[in-house]
Amino acid sequence: MPWTYRHSEKEFKSFLKDARDRMGPVLESDKMAYTAVDGVLHVFRRRLTPPQVIAFGDVLPSSLRAMLVYGWNVDAVPLPFGARSEMIREAQELRQTHNITPLNVIEATGYALWRHVNHRDLTRVLTHIGPEAVMFWHVPGVSEKELQQQIV
């Protein structure tokens, strides 16, 4: 049984803690962090073809993989990547009445993502998708050491 299935709750809690801590004190709970991360995953997914979504999902921890595909309209035409500020606003639109997603949401989610995935696999998938995907998950100003995959 894959580790990510056997320990999915532990792995997901660790991921949410990293994302929430990085987003700052505005997010007071895992529920708020979940909404923010869910928004980011939806923004990214909307820009991918179905094979790209599946390839990206294959390198994610199991709970994030489930979030990525939940409610997915596989027939939707992929949107172009836009300005970071536009994609942040798009992430903030998810569940607007319950969403206080901060402006660093994509960077914070990327920070948590890199700390919970195999870097070689994620780099391979993002490179195959294209430079916009690589830039979407880039975490500026953070050392490779700090982004190392964590043992949970």
Side-chain angles (χ1 to χ4, degrees):
M1 177 186 296
W3 192 95
T4 189
Y5 297 159
R6 185 179 300 257
H7 302 282
S8 62
E9 182 178 2
K10 181 179 178 181
E11 185 177 54
F12 190 54
K13 283 183 179 184
S14 177
F15 174 88
L16 283 180
K17 181 182 182 329
D18 276 352
R20 190 173 99 199
D21 288 351
R22 192 76 181 178
M23 286 184 223
V26 68
L27 297 185
E28 300 170 354
S29 70
D30 283 350
K31 289 178 184 179
M32 292 175 178
Y34 170 87
T35 296
V37 168
D38 199 25
V40 171
L41 290 174
H42 286 192
V43 167
F44 188 66
R45 181 185 73 198
R46 286 184 193 117
R47 280 135 183 94
L48 306 181
T49 64
Q52 291 170 329
V53 172
I54 297 301
F56 179 67
D58 278 350
V59 302
L60 299 181
S62 60
S63 293
L64 293 176
R65 186 178 314 145
M67 288 173 65
L68 178 70
V69 299
Y70 181 76
W72 179 27
N73 175 3
V74 297
D75 295 323
V77 175
L79 299 174
F81 283 89
R84 185 75 143 202
S85 59
E86 292 169 3
M87 293 188 289
I88 290 168
R89 277 193 299 279
E90 186 180 332
Q92 292 172 326
E93 291 173 1
L94 180 68
R95 291 186 289 281
Q96 288 180 330
T97 58
H98 304 287
N99 191 332
I100 57 169
T101 297
L103 294 177
N104 71 340
V105 64
I106 294 175
E107 178 268 327
T109 304
Y111 175 87
L113 181 70
W114 283 105
R115 290 171 51 91
H116 289 86
V117 299
N118 178 296
H119 286 212
R120 184 186 71 244
D121 293 341
L122 182 57
T123 299
R124 174 184 44 79
V125 168
L126 294 178
T127 301
H128 183 73
I129 293 170
E132 297 92 351
V134 172
M135 286 308 300
F136 186 91
W137 294 110
H138 176 68
V139 185
V142 178
S143 71
E144 287 292 321
K145 184 175 181 171
E146 190 175 350
L147 292 176
Q148 282 181 324
Q149 185 178 8
Q150 302 300 296
I151 306 299
V152 194

